[in-house]
Amino acid sequence: MATQTLADRTEILRPVGISPLLTTELLMAHYGVSNWTVNEWVKAGCPVEPTKMRGRRFDLDKVRAWHAQPDNGIAA
């Protein structure tokens, strides 16, 4: 079975209205930032999806929308 990219999974899930959730590590890789930066984003109000297990997940569409807001509390 071939490995799917995030873009592949997003396109597969889009018709049913589901977006894949990213781990902190995947969000770090997507934006090219450190764990510290992601933690600062969360403190500033970056949307985090609830999980049953320990850890956190991020909906990339919601994070992008948060980044687009001029008053999100992070430096551009």
Side-chain angles (χ1 to χ4, degrees), residues 5-76:
T5 65
L6 178 60
D8 294 338
R9 288 183 288 165
T10 301
E11 288 306 313
I12 291 168
L13 296 172
R14 186 181 314 271
V16 292
I18 299 174
S19 177
L21 299 178
L22 279 66
T23 62
T24 300
E25 291 77 18
L26 288 172
L27 189 67
M28 289 166 42
H30 180 79
Y31 281 101
V33 298
S34 67
N35 189 51
W36 182 88
T37 299
V38 173
N39 288 336
E40 292 299 308
W41 290 353
V42 171
K43 289 179 193 175
C46 181
V48 178
E49 297 298 316
T51 63
K52 292 183 180 182
M53 306 298 273
R54 185 175 173 212
R56 55 189 175 196
R57 299 290 182 266
F58 300 90
D59 182 322
L60 188 55
D61 291 336
K62 290 180 182 178
V63 174
R64 285 179 178 150
W66 178 78
H67 269 275
Q69 296 174 357
D71 61 345
N72 62 16
I74 63 169

